[in-house]
Amino acid sequence: MKHPLIPTTGPFGLTDRRAFAGALALLLVGLHISIMMGFYFFPGGAAFSLLQSRWWWELSFSLQILCFALMWMCHHERVFYDTQGWKRGRAISRLIVGMAGVSVPSWVIVFSAMNDWFKHPPNLMDLAYYAGIVFVVWVVLAYVFPIGVALLGRRKGFIYLGLEGQSKKGALVLLGPFLVLGLVAAVEIPRGSHLHIVIWPFLTYLHGATPYLKKAFATAKP
């Protein structure tokens, strides 16, 4: 049963407000992390000094609250109203993964403060190491865990991505952000640029938001 007070449709072809809320949360977080990565590559300049300002901290944590609220709005009805049985378990797992995903900036800020990275930035290899850990955790939560549950419980729907029925086109859309990242890296690495590292978080979160966007703008069933 859907919650009677919260509309699920909207303007501009939007057919699922909840899914759009989840997509927006992920896109905002990805943009947030990419901006912080961009600041890192301008140490000693005006951009990097923003990381040391109080208003940046306040903005960051306010944005975190907004993203948590959006992700909760996206999933809580499916957990408490719309699903039963194993589908409710799937909804709960997606809520957990979504909340974990949008919490990354908070952990980055806290960890940076603990290690005094705002005044003494880590070297590139350390940054890549911690970014790699975050990426691996995300892969485990978003893919390894649901695939494992699907195999053990024989529930293929547990790993539903919202792109079925689109064949190669759906796979291309889902992998598009990583294809863009690969192209940018191929161009920028020989030039000694770090642009690919800066846009990596946003494109990763765009990849995660793709199924949400597909569902948000899917043609409503009669």
Side-chain angles (χ1 to χ4, degrees):
M1 180 180 68
K2 297 182 183 298
H3 195 289
L5 299 180
I6 301 178
T8 58
T9 59
F12 308 111
L14 185 64
T15 58
D16 193 326
R17 288 177 183 265
R18 298 176 302 180
F20 183 74
L24 182 59
L26 292 174
L27 292 175
L28 287 174
V29 168
L31 181 61
H32 186 191
I33 299 175
S34 282
I35 289 174
M36 287 195 289
M37 294 288 282
F39 288 166
Y40 169 81
F41 289 104
F42 296 96
F48 184 79
S49 66
L50 292 176
L51 289 177
Q52 300 169 305
S53 64
R54 178 179 176 179
W55 73 264
W56 173 258
W57 283 67
E58 293 176 348
L59 176 63
S60 296
F61 282 114
S62 296
L63 187 61
Q64 280 285 267
I65 293 172
L66 172 63
C67 291
F68 278 127
L70 289 171
M71 190 57 69
W72 175 259
M73 184 188 305
C74 173
H75 289 286
H76 86 281
E77 288 189 17
R78 293 184 175 92
V79 172
F80 296 108
Y81 296 100
D82 296 352
T83 55
Q84 299 291 335
W86 72 270
K87 290 186 177 181
R88 174 166 289 181
R90 181 180 67 182
I92 293 173
S93 73
R94 289 178 175 175
L95 173 61
I96 293 173
V97 171
M99 287 296 189
V102 299
S103 71
V104 170
S106 291
W107 289 107
V108 170
I109 292 172
V110 171
F111 200 73
S112 297
M114 290 173 57
N115 290 276
D116 201 25
W117 284 353
F118 293 119
K119 292 184 178 180
H120 307 287
N123 60 52
L124 183 58
M125 291 306 298
D126 287 340
L127 186 66
Y129 172 75
Y130 289 111
I133 291 177
V134 173
F135 186 76
V136 169
V137 171
W138 171 73
V139 169
V140 170
L141 288 176
Y143 291 101
V144 176
F145 172 70
I147 289 175
V149 172
L151 293 176
L152 292 175
R154 298 181 180 180
R155 296 286 187 179
K156 293 183 179 180
F158 206 89
I159 53 175
Y160 164 73
L161 294 174
L163 299 172
E164 83 287 358
Q166 297 195 35
S167 186
K168 295 180 180 179
K169 180 181 177 182
L172 183 62
V173 170
L174 190 63
L175 295 175
F178 291 134
L179 295 177
V180 172
L181 179 61
L183 290 174
V184 173
V187 173
E188 296 299 323
I189 290 177
R191 299 171 54 189
S193 170
H194 298 104
L195 178 61
H196 58 291
I197 301 178
V198 173
I199 66 174
W200 175 21
F202 177 74
L203 291 176
T204 299
Y205 275 86
L206 176 59
H207 164 80
T210 299
Y212 289 89
L213 291 171
K214 166 62 173 62
K215 185 170 180 59
F217 292 97
T219 303
K221 296 181 180 180

